Amino acid sequence: MTGATVLAALLPAVPFGLALVGLLLPQRSRAGAAAFGIGGAAVALAAAIGLVFALDGRGTEASAEWIDFGGLPVTLTLRLDPAAALVAIAVAAVALAVQVYSVGYLHDDDRYAPYAAQVGLFTAAMLLVVVAGDLIMLLVGWEVMGICSYLLIAHDRRLPEAPAAAVKAFLVTRVGDVGFLLGIVLLGVRAGSFRITDVLAHDFDSGTLTAACLLLLAGVAGKSAQFPLHTWLPDAMAGPTPISALIHAATMVAAGIYAVTRLFPLFEQAPAALAVLGVMAAVTLLLGALAATAQDDIKRVLAWSTVSQLGYMAGALAVGSPPAALFHLLSHAAFKALLFLAAGAVIHAVGSNLMSAMGGLRRPMPVTFWCTVIGLAALAGVPPLAGFWSKDGILVVAERAALHHAGPTAAWVGWLVWLAGLLGVGLTAWYATRLLLRTFLGTSRAQTHPVDTPAAHASPASAIDAPAGSPAHTPAGPPHDPPGLLRWPVILLAVPSAALGLALLVTPFRDALALDETHLDSFVIIPVALLLAGAGLAWWRWRADPAADPATGLGPLRPAFARAFWLDEVQHALVVRPVRALGRLARRGDEGLVDGAVEGTGRGTSGLGGGMELLHRAGMPRAVVAVLGGALLLGLAAVLALGGTT
C-alpha cells in the first residue's frame, strides 16, 4: 500500500470514525463534540494536502475485492488523481470552516453535539465519493449524504418549515437516485464489474450506453439541483446557515457534477445524453438567475444563485469540458461558502433573513462587508477574481462548441449553453449588486421591520415569497462584526475567492485539472460588458431611490421570478397531490377490503358463537330435564336396537 493510498483511505475514514464517536457523546458535551468535529475535518484537510504531494501529478489506483454477487464482484477501490485531490482539499477546507464557524453560531444550541457529528458524517460521505473507484462505493457515499442532509436540514426544531423542507429534500433527491441506481446496475451488469476503470474500458453498445447515461443524469439532476429536480434546494434554507454553506459549496450539490466528470468518457460517447444535459443546464442556469433577482430572503438569493452556478458547471460538461466544470466547482466552493457564512454573520447581527430589514451595515460590520464584496464580485465574475476565470473558461469552451463545432456535442448545444451563460452573467451581476446595496448600503431599515417576529416576515416582498428560514437568535444591541469564531472562517475563505484564479498561472495546478493555458481573446469583452450592464442597472435603480428595492423594476415579472415560475406549485399539483390522493385511496382500500375482510370474519364468527350460546342457554331445571330426557331416549333406542338383533 503506497503513501498516497494510505492518505486517500484516511480522507473518509478519520472524519467517519470521529463522527461515530461523537454520536455516542452526551447531548450536552459541546467541547468533546467540537473537538471531534473540528479534528476530523482538520485531519482530512491535512491528508488531502498530503495526497497532492504524494501523487506528484500522477494517478494511481488500489483495489481489493469486497463481496461477490453471483460472480459480479464489488471492490473496495481507491481511484486517485490530482483533480480528485484538489476536490478533496476544497471539501475538507469548507468542512473545517463550517465546523469552526458552527461552534460560535450554535453556541446556545443544546443539540450541538449530534449536529457536529452529523456534519462529520456528511463530510466523510462526500470524501468517499471523491476517492471512490467502484460505483457501489460511490453509491454508498452518495446515499449517506442524502440521509445526513435530511437530518441537518431538519436540525432546528423551532422552525415549523424545517421538517417539511428536510422531507422534500430527501424525497426529491430519492426520485433521482432511483435512476442513478438503475444506471449503475446497468453499467455494472453489462461490464461484469462495478470498478470504474473496468466500466470505462468496456465496449458498450450505443443504446445501452445512452440509456445508462440518461439514468445517471436523473441522479445528477436530483443531487445537483438541476431542472426539474431543483425545487428542494431553496427550501433547504430552513437548515442552519453553516449547513447551507456545506451543502451549497462542497458537498451534496457538488457530488452530481463530480460524478459526471469521473464517468465522462461514457457521456462523451453518448451525444443524446450530452444534449439532454445541455438543455437541462441552460434551463437551470437561467431559472436560478431569474429567481434570484426577486427574492427578499438573503439566503434564498444565494440558494438560487447556487442553482444558476450549477447550471454553468453542467453546461461545461455538456459542451465536453470536465476541466472547466471542475475549476468552477472549486472556485464556487470558495466564494459560495464565504457568502453563506457572511450572510450568517449578518443574520446573526440583524436578527432577520430579509434584506428589507437590513441596510446600512457597511460601517458597523466592515469585515463582513468587505468579505461579502469579494464573494459577490467572484460570483458575478469580476476580473481578476476566481469566478471570472472559472466562468470565462466555461464560456470559452461553449463558444468553441457553438462556432467551431469543437467537442463531442452538437453545435446547437454549444449555442444554447453559450447564450444562456452570457445572459446569466448579466443577471448574476444584477442580483449580486442588489444584494450588496440592500444589505450594506443606504440607511438601516431595521427600525421599520421588527426583528425575528411574524411581522418581520410580512413585508411586501415576503407576501409573494415567504422566507425559507428564520434567524438563529434575537440580536442583542446594535449590529457589529461577529466574534472570532465566526469572523476568521469568513476571512480565510475570502483568500481563495479572490486569488484562486491566479492558480491558473501555476503549471502543476493547470495540469492537475487538465486546463489549457489561459489566453483572453476578444470574446471576453462580451461577458465583461454584460457584467457592467447588469451591475450598472441595479445600481442605477438603487441610486434613484435608495429606500426602494431595485427588484421593483422587474414590474409584472417580479411575482413570476419570486415564485420561480410557480414550478413548485406545478410539481405540487402534478405529483404531490396525485400521490397523496393515491395514498388516501390505498388507505381506504386497505381499511375497507383487507381490514374489512379480517374484521368482518371476526365479527361473523363472534356473532355465530353468540347465536350458538343463545341456543344452548337454559335454566338448571330445564337443562337437567333435557339431559335426563336425552339419556332416556338414548337408552330406549339402545334397548330396541339390541332387542331387534336377538
Side-chain angles (χ1 to χ4, degrees):
M1 185 175 283
T2 64
T5 307
V6 172
L7 290 170
L10 290 177
L11 272 172
V14 172
F16 177 75
L18 294 181
L20 290 184
V21 175
L23 285 174
L24 300 176
L25 291 175
Q27 192 153 317
R28 294 189 177 278
S29 179
R30 293 184 60 86
F36 286 125
I38 294 172
V43 171
L45 178 59
I49 294 172
L51 184 61
V52 171
F53 291 101
L55 289 173
D56 195 22
R58 300 183 297 272
T60 186
E61 185 170 307
S63 183
E65 185 167 324
W66 181 14
I67 48 179
D68 189 284
F69 288 120
L72 193 60
V74 177
T75 62
L76 293 174
T77 301
L78 298 172
R79 190 164 185 264
L80 310 170
D81 54 41
L86 291 176
V87 174
I89 289 177
V91 174
V94 172
L96 180 58
V98 166
Q99 288 278 18
V100 173
Y101 186 94
S102 298
V103 174
Y105 196 83
L106 301 179
H107 66 91
D108 58 350
D109 192 323
D110 59 0
R111 297 180 60 245
Y112 169 76
Y115 163 91
Q118 289 158 12
V119 171
L121 280 179
F122 206 169
T123 306
M126 181 61 196
L127 290 170
L128 181 62
V129 169
V130 172
V131 300
D134 188 282
L135 291 174
I136 299 299
M137 274 181 70
L138 189 149
L139 183 65
V140 170
W142 186 276
E143 292 302 328
V144 173
M145 271 195 293
I147 297 169
C148 290
S149 68
Y150 169 79
L151 295 172
L152 290 168
I153 292 170
H155 173 79
D156 194 343
R157 296 175 179 175
R158 296 169 298 176
L159 298 177
E161 62 267 38
V167 171
K168 184 176 181 180
F170 188 78
L171 292 180
V172 172
T173 53
R174 290 287 80 70
V175 171
D177 288 354
V178 172
F180 195 74
L181 174 63
L182 294 175
I184 285 177
V185 170
L186 183 56
L187 290 173
V189 169
R190 290 299 178 96
S193 169
F194 289 107
R195 210 161 64 102
I196 292 176
T197 302
D198 296 336
V199 170
L200 295 182
H202 187 75
D203 185 19
F204 295 97
D205 63 81
S206 60
T208 300
L209 193 58
T210 300
C213 289
L214 290 174
L215 288 169
L216 292 175
L217 283 184
V220 173
K223 274 290 189 289
S224 292
Q226 298 292 298
F227 174 84
L229 299 181
H230 63 282
T231 52
W232 66 271
L233 191 58
D235 287 358
M237 294 301 96
T241 300
I243 294 309
S244 301
L246 190 63
I247 290 177
H248 286 247
T251 62
M252 194 80 170
V253 299
I257 300 297
Y258 181 77
V260 176
T261 65
R262 299 293 266 183
L263 300 172
F264 193 75
L266 301 179
F267 286 88
E268 207 170 21
Q269 302 170 54
L274 287 180
V276 170
L277 182 61
V279 173
M280 199 163 65
V283 174
T284 304
L285 193 161
L286 293 178
L287 173 65
L290 290 171
T293 60
Q295 308 299 321
D296 191 38
D297 185 322
I298 189 172
K299 287 178 67 179
R300 275 189 168 261
V301 175
L302 297 177
W304 280 113
S305 83
T306 299
V307 173
S308 180
Q309 299 306 306
L310 289 166
Y312 275 103
M313 297 174 210
L317 294 169
V319 295
S321 182
L326 279 178
F327 186 36
H328 198 53
L329 187 152
L330 294 177
S331 68
H332 180 262
F335 65 69
K336 189 50 64 69
L338 161 66
L339 287 171
F340 267 113
L341 296 188
V346 170
I347 294 168
H348 204 264
V350 177
S352 174
N353 290 19
L354 303 181
M355 292 188 292
S356 55
M358 299 177 185
L361 296 174
R362 179 173 66 89
R363 292 187 185 283
M365 303 183 71
V367 174
T368 308
F369 168 71
W370 284 111
C371 288
T372 305
V373 167
I374 293 173
L376 289 174
L379 168 66
V382 174
L385 303 182
F388 166 75
W389 299 104
S390 59
K391 204 175 292 184
D392 183 68
I394 294 172
L395 293 174
V396 167
V397 292
E399 171 228 319
R400 289 174 182 167
L403 300 180
H404 308 292
H405 307 279
T409 195
W412 67 267
V413 178
W415 277 104
L416 190 64
V417 173
W418 189 37
L419 294 178
L422 288 173
L423 186 54
V425 169
L427 292 168
T428 306
W430 193 93
Y431 69 69
T433 305
R434 171 179 172 254
L435 187 153
L436 187 71
L437 296 172
R438 294 281 289 165
T439 304
F440 290 99
L441 300 183
T443 57
S444 172
R445 293 176 295 278
Q447 297 301 318
T448 59
H449 294 273
V451 297
D452 201 17
T453 66
H457 300 282
S459 67
S462 64
I464 55 177
D465 183 25
S470 299
H473 78 137
T474 300
H480 54 80
D481 270 326
L485 281 174
L486 277 68
R487 186 171 64 248
W488 277 107
V490 176
I491 293 173
L492 293 175
L493 284 168
V495 175
S497 301
L500 188 61
L502 299 178
L504 288 175
L505 302 175
V506 181
T507 303
F509 179 82
R510 287 200 312 273
D511 292 343
L513 293 179
L515 288 165
D516 296 331
E517 196 168 349
T518 302
H519 294 291
L520 296 179
D521 57 22
S522 57
F523 281 104
V524 76
I525 296 174
I526 301 175
V528 171
L530 289 169
L531 185 152
L532 293 174
L537 276 175
W539 182 84
W540 175 70
R541 289 288 305 181
W542 178 82
R543 187 69 178 169
D545 183 3
D549 187 347
T552 54
L554 298 173
L557 295 175
R558 189 182 181 191
F561 293 171
R563 300 301 304 177
F565 302 95
W566 295 281
L567 288 175
D568 244 337
E569 287 77 0
V570 171
Q571 191 178 75
H572 191 79
L574 296 182
V575 179
V576 177
R577 285 183 183 172
V579 169
R580 284 181 176 172
L582 188 62
R584 287 193 295 271
L585 183 64
R587 188 183 67 181
R588 281 198 292 268
D590 179 64
E591 291 174 350
L593 296 177
V594 180
D595 285 359
V598 173
E599 291 176 1
T601 303
R603 281 196 295 268
T605 305
S606 178
L608 185 62
M612 295 296 291
E613 181 190 10
L614 290 175
L615 290 175
H616 286 80
R617 186 178 296 168
M620 183 60 74
R622 283 198 303 164
V624 172
V625 170
V627 171
L628 292 177
L632 181 61
L633 288 174
L634 287 174
L636 286 174
V639 170
L640 290 173
L642 292 173
T645 56
T646 56

